[in-house]
Amino acid sequence: MVETCDLLAFGAHPDDVEIGMGGTIAKYVRRGYRAVICDLTKAELSSNGTVDERQKEAAEAARRLGVSERLNLELPDRGLSVEEEAIRRIVAVIRRYRPRVVFAPYWEDRHPDHGQCARLVEEAVFSAGIRRYGAGELGDAHRVRSVYYYMINAFCRPHVLIDISETVHDKLASLRAYESQFEKRPGSVETPLTNNYIEMIESRERWFGQQIGAAYAEGFLTKTPIHLFDLFEGAR
């Protein structure tokens, strides 16, 4: 069954996509585009919260962004590697939804799973476009138009900035849905996420926004040249 979408965002764990590009997702959903989130793992090794709790938080976070469909491939947390079975699962998702644009975490990050997720998605995007790859099993070949990488823990000079001034509150609301991760509660342990992490992300997006004269923006990287359709369109 083919269920097309415009934007398909992959994350290693539930909350990765929200941290890196929740505002962009909410912005384009508001404009009538269809977005799907696919988490590779259930983050079962997280220091705080349970798998069931995290899944409920992920569903609520997606709802706050306006995303109607969120998948989980149930690959092993801290066990992500570029191997054939994982690639095939991601290819099947790409061919099922046939997105125009795919997003993945920036390949350089303090958490190794984020870089592994980027590499897996790169491999799957390429394989998804090969007609004979998984023929008759994984669906018809599909070529993604563009792949962009969002930042989680990294802070670097982006290639693309997207104004999220109108949806930054949706982004922050989606992050606050993950109470088990970002709030210090009885019995929880201190992690980088419980130490004003949401405030840090808000400050990062405010800084990115300043670079383009906006209140807030999200930054993305790409490994391929960007096609500038019109030299003056959208220029400021």
Side-chain angles (χ1 to χ4, degrees):
M1 181 178 180
V2 175
E3 305 174 50
T4 60
C5 73
D6 301 290
L7 183 162
L8 177 56
F10 289 95
H13 319 97
D15 76 10
D16 288 350
V17 171
E18 291 88 341
I19 291 170
M21 57 175 297
T24 296
I25 288 177
K27 176 174 183 170
Y28 282 94
V29 168
R30 281 190 183 187
R31 293 184 176 185
Y33 294 93
R34 184 165 187 249
V36 172
I37 297 174
C38 181
D39 306 312
L40 300 193
T41 80
K42 289 188 173 181
E44 61 270 19
L45 297 183
S46 293
S47 299
N48 293 315
T50 65
V51 169
D52 287 344
E53 187 174 19
R54 189 75 166 267
Q55 287 298 291
K56 291 176 182 177
E57 292 171 343
E60 174 60 19
R63 187 193 68 78
R64 294 181 184 186
L65 294 178
V67 174
S68 59
E69 189 155 8
R70 183 171 204 148
L71 315 174
N72 195 296
L73 297 187
E74 300 185 7
L75 295 171
D77 189 15
R78 290 300 298 119
L80 294 180
S81 62
V82 181
E83 51 90 19
E84 187 62 20
E85 177 57 29
I87 294 170
R88 290 174 70 85
R89 290 195 199 181
I90 299 171
V91 167
V93 172
I94 293 171
R95 288 182 174 178
R96 173 182 174 185
Y97 290 98
R98 311 185 78 76
R100 291 194 276 175
V101 183
V102 161
F103 289 84
Y106 176 44
W107 56 90
E108 292 185 9
D109 190 281
R110 68 172 178 79
H111 196 314
D113 281 2
H114 299 159
Q116 292 290 70
C117 178
R119 286 181 276 277
L120 278 167
V121 171
E122 286 178 9
E123 292 285 342
V125 165
F126 189 87
S127 293
I130 299 175
R131 180 172 61 89
R132 292 181 176 173
Y133 183 89
E137 181 184 355
L138 302 177
D140 296 333
H142 173 69
R143 292 190 181 277
V144 174
R145 180 183 299 177
S146 303
V147 179
Y148 294 101
Y149 301 86
Y150 59 84
M151 284 173 261
I152 302 177
N153 301 304
F155 186 89
C156 60
R157 185 179 181 87
H159 301 143
V160 178
L161 287 166
I162 295 179
D163 186 345
I164 61 162
S165 303
E166 295 182 359
T167 56
V168 65
H169 297 298
D170 298 299
K171 175 192 179 86
L172 297 177
S174 74
L175 291 176
R176 294 189 181 105
Y178 292 97
E179 295 181 12
S180 68
Q181 301 306 301
F182 298 113
E183 292 187 12
K184 292 181 180 178
R185 306 184 302 179
S188 65
V189 299
E190 186 168 327
T191 73
L193 300 183
T194 62
N195 189 21
N196 298 316
Y197 191 86
I198 293 179
E199 290 76 10
M200 184 273 291
I201 294 297
E202 182 179 6
S203 296
R204 182 186 69 181
E205 316 313 36
R206 182 182 289 119
W207 189 87
F208 282 150
Q210 185 182 48
Q211 308 310 302
I212 56 172
Y216 293 90
E218 286 174 334
F220 301 89
L221 295 96
T222 177
K223 291 187 176 183
T224 58
I226 297 171
H227 180 185
L228 185 63
F229 291 96
D230 188 297
L231 183 62
F232 299 102
E233 183 179 358
R236 294 291 185 271

